[in-house]
Amino acid sequence: MSAASCLRSEDQFLCSICLDVFTDPVTTPCGHNFCKNCINEHWNSNDQYLCPMCNKVFNTRPELHINTFISEMVSQFRQESQQKASSSSSEQQAAKPGEVPCDVCTGTKLKALKSCLVCLTSYCETHLEPHLTKSVLKRHQLIDPVENLEDRMCMKHDKLLELFCKTDQTCVCVLCSVLDHKTHEFVPLKEEYEGKKAELGKTEAEIQEMIQKRRLKIQEIKHSVDLSKKAADREKAEGVQVFIALMQSVERGKKNLINSINKKKKKMEKQAEDFIKELEQEISELKKRSSELEKLSHSEDHLHLLQNFPSLKAAPPTKDWTEVSVCPSYEGTVVIAVAQLEETCSKQKKKLIEAELKRVQQYAVDVTLDPDTAHPALILSDDGKQVNDSDVTKNLPDNPERFSKCPCVLGKQSLSSGRFYFEVQVKWKTDWDLGVARESINRKGDITLSPEDGFWTIWLRNGNEYKADNNPPVRLSLKSRPQKVGVFVDYEEGLVSFHDVDAAALIYSFTGCSFTEKLYPYFGPSLNYRGKNSAPLIICPVNQTE
């Protein structure tokens, strides 16, 4: 192909009237080229013979002849275009399932590159070319290929859906806006599209944020699972060590018991053997004397009998065996062994409780009292760490959070998952309540401290009566009066436990609880009783045991 043909473009062979490639090109006297039919129709519809390009007026209608040169050039251009289109079509891919096919292609449907909202047609690369080159078609709106373009037409008026009715939130055509929605508010589809696109962008950002939060939650849960596995392994290892120690202690106790019994048995057998030997020896002596007595009794020698009678008549060389007995004494042996085992178990239990207290202290939180919940008779310290009853009711706003009758107060901090722990000094008090409460508890009038009513607490009355406010209440027998009480909550486990911090002893545990609301620390310093119970409840910093 020559260099000249390589430079040919469609713009060189377009008729300025029909904007298409020349058909039977003719030249006017002014030198401009048109399709023969186009220029004739143009002159037929006008009073003047005017050139459409330069507006030159001809007095008479010019005689037109086919421009053979341009005609040949157009013919060559059409052939080249067809070859190019054929080559391009072979290079393009056929539409696959799920892809939009070209509506113009005959035979193999090629993949569409664009859809025209004016023509309501989808075009492949070849058939799209007029929309990219012709001025009239360039004004058409092209979008990424979509199927069912007829859905973009108004079913009632057969017009393009190009407006959005904000009143009815639907797409309408121009006639709809005049006939069916004339009192409604309209905006162009593009304007509503931009607005909705912005909303989608915002929604997408929110969704991405939600996805990120959930991914973080997955990581958090996985981390919790890892911690749980490690904690389980640690608990199993510690538990196995404890039970190994207990089994070893039991084995030692059993061995000591058997050895003690065997030792007593051998001692008894040796004693019995010595007794029998001594008795057999005395029997032998007695038989000898019996023989002598019998012999003497048959003697006719008067002098001999009288001379030996005193020695044979004397008491035989034996001891009194009346009180002698062999009674094996095994009583108390098993009791002593069991007591020793109990002591070992008690020591192991104390170690476990100390380890448990050390573990729960890791979940210590900085608790402060919430003055908005405090009964009007209570006095709270400025730092929110101490509370006691004053016997005097202050005039305070009766807000919904405030306890109106019972002298108690909640902590500001809450728990809706996980674990927390805090410690409270109860020293020098004769009466107090302590524990946790759910958010929806009754705060007006009389309240009942029980799990059914949302309270998990223990209390002291009269200086020495301890109870757990379960249903029914459980009397607690404590070896010593706690000076500092630790409160631990495991939300998922449904556990609330109370610890004597100084004695490292477990006071009581609520187990198998079902928590569905926020839990708050609960403090009841009880009444002042004219100074007998004036000491405050004090929230203490947690010093983890070493």
Side-chain angles (χ1 to χ4, degrees), residues 233-520:
D233 292 340
R234 183 177 63 253
E235 287 293 318
K236 284 192 290 186
E238 292 177 356
V240 168
Q241 289 180 354
V242 169
F243 277 95
I244 288 175
L246 290 175
M247 288 188 292
Q248 290 175 344
S249 178
V250 170
E251 192 63 31
R252 285 196 301 271
K254 183 181 77 171
K255 186 176 181 180
N256 291 338
L257 174 66
I258 292 173
N259 289 339
S260 177
I261 292 174
N262 287 337
K263 188 176 181 180
K264 288 183 179 181
K265 175 173 168 285
K266 288 181 180 180
K267 182 179 179 181
M268 182 275 295
E269 289 174 348
K270 178 66 170 59
Q271 188 181 38
E273 184 180 345
D274 292 343
F275 285 159
I276 290 171
K277 186 176 181 180
E278 188 176 352
L279 286 169
E280 287 177 345
Q281 186 176 356
E282 288 188 0
I283 289 172
S284 178
E285 293 292 333
L286 289 173
K287 284 182 177 180
K288 180 179 178 182
R289 174 169 290 202
S290 174
S291 177
E292 291 176 351
L293 287 173
E294 183 180 3
K295 183 178 178 181
L296 184 61
S297 64
H298 291 90
S299 175
E300 298 294 331
D301 187 343
H302 302 129
L303 179 62
H304 177 71
L305 187 148
L306 292 174
Q307 288 177 338
N308 289 286
F309 179 80
S311 60
L312 292 176
K313 179 65 177 177
T318 59
K319 67 180 182 180
D320 184 6
W321 291 90
T322 305
E323 302 298 329
V324 176
S325 65
V326 179
C327 296
S329 178
Y330 301 114
E331 290 79 3
T333 306
V334 176
V335 174
I336 293 172
V338 171
Q340 291 174 343
L341 182 60
E342 286 180 345
E343 183 179 357
T344 301
C345 290
S346 178
K347 290 179 180 179
Q348 289 293 336
K349 181 180 179 182
K350 183 174 178 60
K351 288 181 179 179
L352 286 175
I353 293 175
E354 289 175 349
E356 175 67 10
L357 178 59
K358 182 178 180 181
R359 184 182 70 83
V360 300
Q361 284 178 331
Q362 297 175 0
Y363 301 100
V365 294
D366 185 15
V367 174
T368 53
L369 302 171
D370 186 356
D372 291 337
T373 66
H375 183 274
L378 296 183
I379 300 175
L380 275 61
S381 62
D382 292 338
D383 61 359
K385 296 293 185 180
Q386 301 185 29
V387 58
N388 64 293
D389 182 70
S390 66
D391 280 339
V392 178
T393 302
K394 299 183 290 293
N395 185 17
L396 297 176
D398 187 21
N399 50 284
E401 296 83 10
R402 192 180 304 284
F403 289 95
S404 64
K405 189 170 183 179
C406 297
C408 49
V409 61
L410 299 180
K412 289 183 179 180
Q413 291 69 28
S414 65
L415 177 77
S416 56
S417 65
R419 307 172 180 88
F420 74 39
Y421 174 84
F422 61 95
E423 292 179 354
V424 182
Q425 179 180 301
V426 296
K427 189 176 181 180
W428 298 308
K429 292 192 67 62
T430 61
D431 295 68
W432 50 259
D433 306 317
L434 194 60
V436 294
R438 68 184 178 213
E439 188 175 28
S440 64
I441 54 171
N442 174 38
R443 308 185 190 202
K444 307 302 178 183
D446 294 325
I447 61 175
T448 302
L449 296 179
S450 70
E452 287 75 13
D453 293 288
F455 296 88
W456 291 267
T457 58
I458 62 173
W459 54 250
L460 167 67
R461 296 291 183 269
N462 303 319
N464 58 6
E465 297 176 13
Y466 294 91
K467 280 189 179 182
D469 294 308
N470 212 327
N471 192 10
V474 179
R475 182 175 293 277
L476 304 176
S477 298
L478 307 182
K479 293 182 179 180
S480 60
R481 292 184 59 183
Q483 304 296 301
K484 188 187 296 183
V485 176
V487 182
F488 173 70
V489 178
D490 189 325
Y491 197 93
E492 283 75 20
E493 188 69 21
L495 170 70
V496 181
S497 60
F498 299 85
H499 302 260
D500 183 336
V501 177
D502 297 322
L506 179 66
I507 298 175
Y508 186 77
S509 290
F510 292 89
T511 58
C513 308
S514 178
F515 302 130
T516 58
E517 302 178 24
K518 290 182 179 179
L519 298 180
Y520 289 85

Side-chain angles (χ1 to χ4, degrees), residues 525-545:
S526 195
L527 299 177
N528 188 292
Y529 295 119
R530 298 182 179 179
K532 294 181 180 180
N533 189 39
S534 61
L537 290 175
I538 303 175
I539 302 171
C540 305
V542 176
N543 298 317
Q544 295 188 15
T545 56

Side-chain angles (χ1 to χ4, degrees), residues 27 40 49 91-92 110 222 253 342 350-351 358 439 503 518:
T27 304
N40 282 329
Y49 304 123
E91 293 176 359
Q92 293 182 62
L110 300 181
K222 287 182 177 179
E342 286 180 345
K350 183 174 178 60
K351 288 181 179 179
K358 182 178 180 181
E439 188 175 28
K518 290 182 179 179

